[in-house]
Amino acid sequence: MSTGLDLYNRAAQEAAATVISAYSTSFALACRLLGPRVRPHVRNVYALVRIADEIVDGPAAEAGLAPETLRRVLDELEAETLTAVTRGFSSNLVVHAFCRTARETGIGADLVRPFFASMRTDLEVTAHDAGSHDAYVYGSAEVVGLMCLQVFVNAGATTAATPAPELVDGARRLGAAFQDVNFLRDLSHDADALGRDYLGLREGGDSRIAVLDRIDADLAAAAAVVPQLPADCRRAVTAAHDLFGSLARRLRAEDPRTGERVRVPDPVKATLAARAMLGFAPKGART
């Protein structure tokens, strides 16, 4: 017989799924390729990530929040998340969904805190050098990949296990590649609308080609370990990997002076998803 907590858990899970479907059709598509064992947990992780992003990336400011208030709201979300992971309940539905996933799969403060630290950086730092870029990418993207890896390995298990080192490296590098691709795609928007420079291209840092070379290397390293993931995760990770690989190739071929955001046409997305669904390894993977 279901209980009131069962209903609350379902409502929290549905709230997280709603957040994801509202913000990213590509991510929603990739989630559908995940097996039912892991799909709701990955949605729960990304819903929390999205809410934190929205605090620092515009909507909260548009609601009239002053910079110091944005910082306080973000700090409160971090504190609520860490407390919920410990006690197993939150009155915030998205946080509650995340805490259930964290408790089942072994996501701890060692991953939660770096994520919020990077989100806090967006309120404090406008121009990054190589060192601050790497620290930001670790917290904003690599730890999210590590959270998903905890889900892939531990969802449904009685006791959470530590993922293999090669899977940890692959998760980090895939997250880093995703983030750097998005930095290049959003270069003009980040500079003009948000006043941020994540890559230092305009300050004599890495060249655009060097960033793309780094992305390609990270994607290749990640592709090599995708076949080691549990079977119910490989298709979705392959589709996401190949989507960002396609974006990287288009970024390399584009004229950056146009200022247009590079995207993958829907028919190409469908082809990549179908390829992943059929069980092909990520492009560039060793088979």
Side-chain angles (χ1 to χ4, degrees), residues 13-143:
Q13 187 169 295
E14 290 170 6
T18 297
V19 170
I20 290 307
S21 63
Y23 275 96
S24 176
T25 55
S26 295
F27 183 80
L29 172 63
C31 271
R32 287 197 291 273
L33 298 179
L34 290 167
R37 176 182 69 93
V38 295
R39 186 185 304 125
H41 293 297
V42 171
R43 287 173 174 159
N44 294 346
V45 168
Y46 273 90
L48 179 68
V49 168
R50 173 52 60 186
I51 296 300
D53 269 340
E54 294 307 281
I55 293 173
V56 300
D57 278 354
E62 291 174 20
L65 275 65
E68 62 272 14
T69 306
L70 295 177
R71 169 68 181 258
R72 187 163 61 251
V73 170
L74 187 65
D75 289 349
E76 290 168 353
L77 180 61
E78 178 183 15
E80 176 63 19
T81 300
L82 291 170
T83 299
V85 172
T86 299
R87 70 188 175 194
F89 183 87
S90 174
S91 59
N92 179 319
L93 284 174
V94 170
V95 173
H96 183 78
F98 176 85
C99 84
R100 292 188 67 234
T101 288
R103 287 164 66 89
E104 179 175 329
T105 64
I107 296 171
D110 60 321
L111 298 180
V112 173
R113 291 191 186 279
F115 169 72
F116 279 98
S118 283
M119 294 300 96
R120 201 169 288 113
T121 298
D122 277 334
L123 301 176
E124 302 166 349
V125 178
T126 57
H128 288 267
D129 58 21
S132 65
H133 163 274
D134 291 349
Y136 181 87
V137 169
Y138 174 73
S140 66
E142 293 179 32
V143 299

Side-chain angles (χ1 to χ4, degrees), residues 79-270:
E80 176 63 19
T81 300
L82 291 170
T83 299
V85 172
T86 299
R87 70 188 175 194
F89 183 87
S90 174
S91 59
N92 179 319
L93 284 174
V94 170
V95 173
H96 183 78
F98 176 85
C99 84
R100 292 188 67 234
T101 288
R103 287 164 66 89
E104 179 175 329
T105 64
I107 296 171
D110 60 321
L111 298 180
V112 173
R113 291 191 186 279
F115 169 72
F116 279 98
S118 283
M119 294 300 96
R120 201 169 288 113
T121 298
D122 277 334
L123 301 176
E124 302 166 349
V125 178
T126 57
H128 288 267
D129 58 21
S132 65
H133 163 274
D134 291 349
Y136 181 87
V137 169
Y138 174 73
S140 66
E142 293 179 32
V143 299
V144 178
L146 294 174
M147 290 178 189
C148 290
L149 180 60
Q150 290 293 126
V151 168
F152 296 162
V153 172
N154 293 314
T158 303
T159 304
T162 301
E166 59 270 24
L167 291 179
V168 170
D169 181 68
R172 290 186 60 179
R173 296 189 71 172
L174 190 60
F178 288 178
Q179 188 67 291
D180 276 338
V181 165
N182 283 330
F183 286 158
L184 285 176
R185 293 178 77 198
D186 296 331
L187 200 63
S188 296
H189 176 266
D190 287 341
D192 298 338
L194 301 176
R196 298 177 194 155
D197 179 5
Y198 291 104
L199 295 173
L201 300 185
R202 301 177 182 179
E203 300 296 333
D206 284 347
S207 69
R208 180 183 176 84
I209 296 302
V211 174
L212 286 164
D213 288 346
R214 181 172 71 225
I215 289 168
D216 287 348
D218 284 340
L219 287 172
V225 300
V226 169
Q228 299 178 42
L229 291 172
D232 58 354
C233 308
R234 293 177 204 149
R235 289 175 173 82
V237 177
T238 295
H241 172 281
D242 289 354
L243 173 63
F244 276 82
S246 179
L247 284 167
R249 288 189 293 275
R250 291 167 188 272
L251 283 164
R252 196 179 286 273
E254 73 147 3
D255 181 351
R257 294 170 296 183
T258 65
E260 295 180 3
R261 193 172 196 263
V262 171
R263 63 180 300 275
V264 176
D266 289 342
V268 177
K269 288 182 184 178

